[in-house]
Amino acid sequence: MDNEKLQSMTESISTTIFKRPFKHKAYFNKRLRTTGGRYILNTHNIEINAKQYDAFGEKAVIDIIKHELCHYHLHIQGKGYKHKDKDFKLLSAQTGAPRFCSAVESYENRVRYIYKCSNCGVKYARIRKVNLNKMLCGHCKGKLIEQSHF
């Protein structure tokens, strides 16, 4: 699926389910990692995580579009567009927009560093590198050593 198909799909979902036009841009953003999509308040554009389509297909993208269109239409109307707002929860339920999307990568898949306490042997899996001069074991305050790097 390309950006043009995503744009037309978003416009179609907006007019059929929400009964309102979508007048801005919808596109894939390959840099998104932890979210399925996002509605940008300043530009009113919608970005979709390309990995969601690759991993779960068109159905997942449709669900994400519905969720982001809830933010879009409520914000345009000046109503509560945040997840905690009553308006958002109500519109989400009416349109069948899911609250969350499936995770593409788990924390375990993203781990690049394994550290081990030299005192008690507890292992710590981390995505980012840790400063071994500052960080200590959370259990016994022992010194951490890098066990493996992926």
Side-chain angles (χ1 to χ4, degrees):
M1 181 184 298
D2 60 351
N3 286 335
E4 290 176 18
K5 175 113 168 63
L6 180 67
Q7 179 72 31
S8 65
M9 183 187 293
T10 306
E11 290 169 0
S12 171
I13 291 170
S14 183
T15 54
T16 56
I17 295 175
F18 293 88
K19 309 290 188 243
R20 294 178 172 275
F22 177 70
K23 299 177 181 178
H24 294 85
K25 291 182 181 177
Y27 52 90
F28 286 110
N29 183 346
K30 293 182 186 294
R31 293 173 309 192
L32 293 179
R33 304 185 95 187
T34 59
T35 183
R38 67 180 171 192
Y39 165 63
I40 303 168
L41 294 173
N42 297 342
T43 62
H44 304 296
N45 293 338
I46 292 176
E47 296 180 340
I48 304 294
N49 187 339
K51 293 175 190 170
Q52 285 287 328
Y53 178 73
D54 296 339
F56 304 110
E58 195 169 304
K59 168 80 172 88
V61 172
I62 290 170
D63 286 343
I64 294 167
I65 290 170
K66 282 194 230 174
H67 178 92
E68 300 308 328
L69 282 173
C70 287
H71 291 296
Y72 172 81
H73 288 299
L74 290 170
H75 182 247
I76 297 286
Q77 294 172 17
K79 296 182 179 178
Y81 60 89
K82 296 179 182 175
H83 289 124
K84 65 181 179 181
D85 294 329
K86 186 178 179 182
D87 293 328
F88 182 82
K89 290 177 182 177
L90 184 65
L91 186 60
S92 255
Q94 289 172 349
T95 58
R99 191 103 188 262
F100 303 103
C101 65
S102 303
V104 177
E105 294 179 304
S106 66
Y107 187 85
E108 290 78 23
N109 291 346
R110 295 175 58 207
V111 165
R112 295 181 59 207
Y113 301 94
I114 305 283
Y115 297 98
K116 183 178 177 183
C117 176
S118 59
N119 191 26
C120 68
V122 173
K123 292 184 181 180
Y124 296 95
R126 295 291 178 263
I127 295 171
R128 300 176 110 185
K129 195 167 186 152
V130 171
N131 184 346
L132 297 176
N133 295 326
K134 290 183 179 180
M135 301 302 280
L136 299 173
C137 175
H139 296 279
C140 70
K141 306 288 187 238
K143 186 171 175 62
L144 296 179
I145 53 174
E146 187 174 328
Q147 190 173 22
S148 60
H149 171 77
F150 300 100

